[in-house]
Amino acid sequence: MTLMSQNLDGQFVLSKNSRFIPDKWNISECAGWILATHPSLSVTNIENSKGSNIGWIIGFPIDLNLRLLSRRVVFNVEMSDKQREKHIESELYELGGRYVAIILGNGISRVYLDPGGSLSVVYALSL
């Protein structure tokens, strides 16, 4: 089953199965997951303090200096830390804008919406 990308502007797919990814979409991988995004949707890679990819921010996050985040952001978090979720959430709570954040790795799988929930997520177990 291949999805047609022409009616999916601004959408994304997060899956462990590549067969649900529309043609010509941008693809990234992290911790066994595949993120595919429509070319019109911005993706910022999230790295931890050691430079390892721990997820993505999809959409248009804005930092405390009112700058739109671009290709990469570093969260000061160690993925082995028991308080890692609190540290990640602290970093995310400093952002404004319209986004979805996905954090993966070392026993953590989380999806966070922006404070207004303006970029939605649909969960489909069958995919």
Side-chain angles (χ1 to χ4, degrees):
M1 175 180 156
T2 304
L3 296 175
M4 301 273 238
S5 62
Q6 62 197 31
N7 296 325
L8 299 172
D9 291 354
Q11 301 297 310
F12 67 94
V13 173
L14 180 66
S15 178
K16 289 192 172 190
N17 189 335
S18 63
R19 74 180 191 154
F20 299 108
I21 297 173
D23 295 332
K24 299 180 184 174
W25 276 25
N26 299 321
I27 297 173
S28 300
E29 295 185 43
C30 180
W33 288 89
I34 302 166
L35 174 67
T37 56
H38 186 273
S40 68
L41 193 57
S42 176
V43 176
T44 301
N45 290 319
I46 304 172
E47 295 179 1
N48 66 10
S49 54
K50 293 183 178 179
S52 297
N53 187 29
I54 61 170
W56 307 278
I57 302 175
I58 305 164
F60 307 96
I62 300 170
D63 69 14
L64 291 174
N65 296 315
L66 304 178
R67 291 182 302 221
L68 185 64
L69 295 181
S70 58
R71 307 300 262 157
R72 176 181 168 269
V73 65
V74 176
F75 282 7
N76 191 16
V77 63
E78 296 299 325
M79 291 303 281
S80 59
D81 182 4
K82 291 181 181 180
Q83 298 293 314
R84 66 184 177 245
E85 286 93 346
K86 286 179 103 172
H87 295 287
I88 290 167
E89 289 171 2
S90 293
E91 297 276 357
L92 289 171
Y93 293 157
E94 292 185 0
L95 299 176
R98 180 177 182 257
Y99 65 87
V100 170
I102 299 169
I103 307 294
L104 301 166
N106 201 25
I108 183 171
S109 299
R110 299 274 193 277
V111 175
Y112 297 92
L113 300 179
D114 65 62
S118 58
L119 188 62
S120 62
V121 174
V122 176
Y123 176 75
L125 183 60
S126 62
L127 299 179

